[in-house]
Amino acid sequence: IHEPARPAPLRLSCLLLVTDEHGTILGIDLMIGRRQGSGARGVEAHKGGTESLAPRAYGLLCHSMICPMGAGEPRRPRQLTVGDVHLHRDLGALLPRIGVKLAKAPMRTWGPRPSFTFASLRARVCHVCHRHSFEVKLTPCPQCGAVLYCGESCTRADWRRSPEDVSHQFWCPRLAQFMGRAAELASLPFTYTAETTRETFNKEAFLINRGLTRGYWTQLSMLLPAPDAPGLLHGDGPHPGPLLNGDPYQLLQGDGCCLMPPMPTEAPRELFDSWQEYYAWRGLGLDSPLAALLTFPLTAYHIITRLVPQFFPKLNIQNKRSLKIHVVEAGKEFDLIMVFWELSVLLPHVALELWFVGDTLPTKWDQQHFTLQRDGPGVSVCLGPGPKEKGTRRDLQIKVSARPYHLLQGPKPDLVIGFNAGFGLKDTWLSSLPRLQVGGGWWSQPGGPGARSRAGWAHLGLGLSFSASG
């Protein structure tokens, strides 16, 4: 059998990036080349010099001045600093044409420093034709403010879509109600609420100024992880089970003192209604940013203790001694898997089983099953179901299935939770509906401790969805 020759893999040979002084990306250009020896000129063309890069970088700079990628009016920098010695030299003869002054010396280093970060960007495109804000002026819908349009024609087209339940006329009042909850972000008790809910919030500077540059915090950043950052669960390294023994909150650690106090020896006496109550019980100051990473277990806690009793009182969920929960379309919450131990701290008399399901999960984790159990001041991890403890139920079963939810085989859960609000837009949604077996559908709940914190961090009211079986 003759197997056709495979093309040589492509590689990124050069990345040109234009940012402002705060790190907001204004323009980007990628140069793709094949591996050396493949006959391509992509890499070899730049070997030993950057003469061919200077005109391209100059063109990118001009385009970034006229149509900045990060939106906003056209602009011209007073001074340009270049991160490459050779490119800095070659641009010296080109910049006088556009009246831009070149810094005396190039940047010496590149990395996460408070003086230079990537400012958070918001994707702004027309909801119909998907033209970007740097191409045309976009205007929000005057009724809901949730979607943007480039003109009257796109507004009318979206309003009259067919079938009716996909038209903006159908969704506009629902989106208006959803967007109306955004004002609740201002009521969050954290000392940094005003900063993180501003339109100009610089997430990278927020993280770096607080020393949050390693562990789980790197997943919130566009910057390269610190050199000592541990491998993430989606990586290609070995099974990370042994790395998870000990302190379950070790990956919440910043560069300074310990962020998470030791686990309380006693369960909370009352159910929490707010982040402020939880922080006080946990010994956290309101200046602690841990809510950004604890939002997933705290959202699950809010569903179990508040939402399910409200919407499904017949389930009597608060008196159950064991709970099986499916986390569908799992993504970022799976990367923060150890922080779900906080559920066992908050609900110590409940045996919890979390089953993470999603076709984007790493295949090496498919069908994995392990148990987290309290082991002195820390937590021990064992493969498979752990030994039963007498007198207490402080264990957390974790299962993983790297497949669409409708292909999952197993017993019916007590709860199905979806943190990814875009699940309903996937092709597998209709196939998953019969398995959910919910008469009233899924709920979108922007409120609650977990959802509101996540909304504040992301600048928009991201909700959560859940269903209950029984």
Side-chain angles (χ1 to χ4, degrees):
I1 299 176
H2 175 69
E3 182 178 352
R6 297 180 180 179
L10 296 175
R11 55 168 287 183
L12 179 65
S13 62
C14 183
L15 168 65
L16 296 173
L17 196 65
V18 178
T19 75
D20 66 9
E21 60 183 335
H22 303 293
T24 301
I25 299 176
L26 305 178
I28 187 170
D29 190 8
L30 305 176
M31 302 184 71
I32 305 297
R34 299 183 184 274
R35 293 185 183 274
Q36 296 187 21
S38 64
R41 297 175 55 85
V43 178
E44 296 296 331
H46 309 299
K47 192 174 182 180
T50 57
E51 293 81 0
S52 60
L53 282 182
R56 190 155 181 167
Y58 175 78
L60 176 62
L61 176 62
C62 293
H63 187 272
S64 302
M65 291 165 54
I66 300 172
C67 302
M69 183 177 176
E73 299 296 327
R75 66 199 73 179
R76 181 174 63 183
R78 291 188 295 270
Q79 179 173 282
L80 179 70
T81 305
V82 183
D84 180 88
V85 176
H86 301 290
L87 186 58
H88 176 271
R89 178 197 62 201
D90 297 334
L91 282 174
L94 299 175
L95 293 182
R97 302 178 187 177
I98 53 176
V100 175
K101 181 181 178 181
L102 184 65
K104 293 182 179 180
M107 290 187 292
R108 292 186 176 182
T109 60
W110 173 270
R113 296 180 300 161
S115 59
F116 185 86
T117 64
F118 284 138
S120 302
L121 295 178
R122 301 179 66 182
R124 296 180 181 273
V125 296
C126 175
H127 188 57
V128 177
C129 68
H130 305 296
R131 297 174 70 187
H132 290 83
S133 56
F134 54 81
E135 299 177 90
V136 293
K137 182 178 180 180
L138 301 178
T139 305
C141 171
Q143 279 76 37
C144 67
V147 293
L148 300 170
Y149 299 109
C150 65
E152 188 64 29
S153 60
C154 283
T155 304
R156 289 196 301 268
D158 196 29
W159 193 264
R160 300 170 182 173
R161 284 182 192 266
S162 180
E164 180 184 354
D165 60 357
V166 301
S167 69
H168 188 62
Q169 183 177 6
F170 176 84
W171 284 103
C172 188
R174 294 165 174 79
L175 290 172
Q177 183 180 11
F178 187 79
M179 295 294 288
R181 303 292 296 272
E184 295 182 11
L185 295 175
S187 65
L188 290 171
F190 309 116
T191 58
Y192 47 80
T193 298
E195 176 185 357
T196 58
T197 54
R198 283 200 303 261
E199 288 283 337
T200 57
F201 172 51
N202 189 333
K203 182 173 64 175
E204 302 297 339
F206 181 91
L207 294 171
I208 292 168
N209 290 336
R210 289 165 173 78
L212 307 177
T213 58
R214 59 177 178 165
Y216 284 150
W217 299 102
T218 61
Q219 300 182 49
L220 302 178
S221 172
M222 289 176 58
L223 294 171
L224 294 175
D228 60 342
L232 302 181
L233 301 186
H234 277 83
D236 297 326
H239 190 286
L243 301 178
L244 303 178
N245 283 298
D247 181 6
Y249 309 107
Q250 58 183 312
L251 297 182
L252 297 176
Q253 177 64 29
D255 293 336
C257 59
C258 182
L259 295 176
M260 196 69 173
M263 288 182 288
T265 56
E266 297 183 0
R269 297 180 180 179
E270 297 179 353
L271 299 177
F272 299 125
D273 287 318
S274 67
W275 276 108
Q276 194 161 10
E277 294 177 5
Y278 167 75
Y279 260 45
W281 173 77
R282 205 57 170 88
L284 294 167
L286 290 177
D287 59 342
S288 171
L290 284 177
L293 297 181
L294 293 174
T295 179
F296 293 112
L298 266 292
T299 295
Y301 171 81
H302 182 68
I303 292 172
I304 295 169
T305 60
R306 296 299 182 187
L307 298 186
V308 173
Q310 177 183 352
F311 291 106
F312 302 96
K314 293 183 180 180
L315 289 181
N316 197 25
I317 195 170
Q318 291 178 321
N319 293 324
K320 287 182 177 290
R321 291 298 180 181
S322 64
L323 284 176
K324 292 181 173 62
I325 302 174
H326 288 179
V327 181
V328 297
E329 200 61 24
K332 183 181 293 185
E333 63 272 25
F334 176 72
D335 288 329
L336 304 173
I337 197 167
M338 285 302 292
V339 301
F340 280 91
W341 175 255
E342 191 70 3
L343 275 177
S344 295
V345 177
L346 292 167
L347 304 171
H349 303 298
V350 180
L352 294 166
E353 178 184 295
L354 298 181
W355 200 330
F356 293 85
V357 188
D359 54 3
T360 61
L361 295 177
T363 54
K364 69 176 182 179
W365 278 78
D366 190 33
Q367 302 303 307
Q368 292 283 355
H369 178 194
F370 55 97
T371 304
L372 279 65
Q373 286 189 316
R374 180 183 285 272
D375 185 6
V379 169
S380 62
V381 180
C382 62
L383 291 175
K388 296 291 184 180
E389 294 187 14
K390 295 182 179 180
T392 181
R393 306 295 292 275
R394 288 200 174 193
D395 63 324
L396 177 62
Q397 304 282 332
I398 300 290
K399 296 182 178 180
V400 184
S401 290
R403 62 193 64 192
Y405 188 57
H406 68 279
L407 298 180
L408 179 68
Q409 296 181 355
K412 187 168 63 174
D414 298 293
L415 288 175
V416 179
I417 300 177
F419 294 99
N420 185 351
F423 184 26
L425 299 177
K426 295 195 64 173
D427 295 336
T428 56
W429 168 248
L430 292 179
S431 301
S432 300
L433 279 177
R435 183 176 180 86
L436 293 174
Q437 298 179 352
V438 180
W442 282 46
W443 279 257
S444 177
Q445 176 65 33
R452 286 167 59 184
S453 169
R454 185 156 52 102
W457 194 258
H459 306 288
L460 70 161
L462 293 177
L464 59 94
S465 301
F466 75 94
S467 65
S469 302

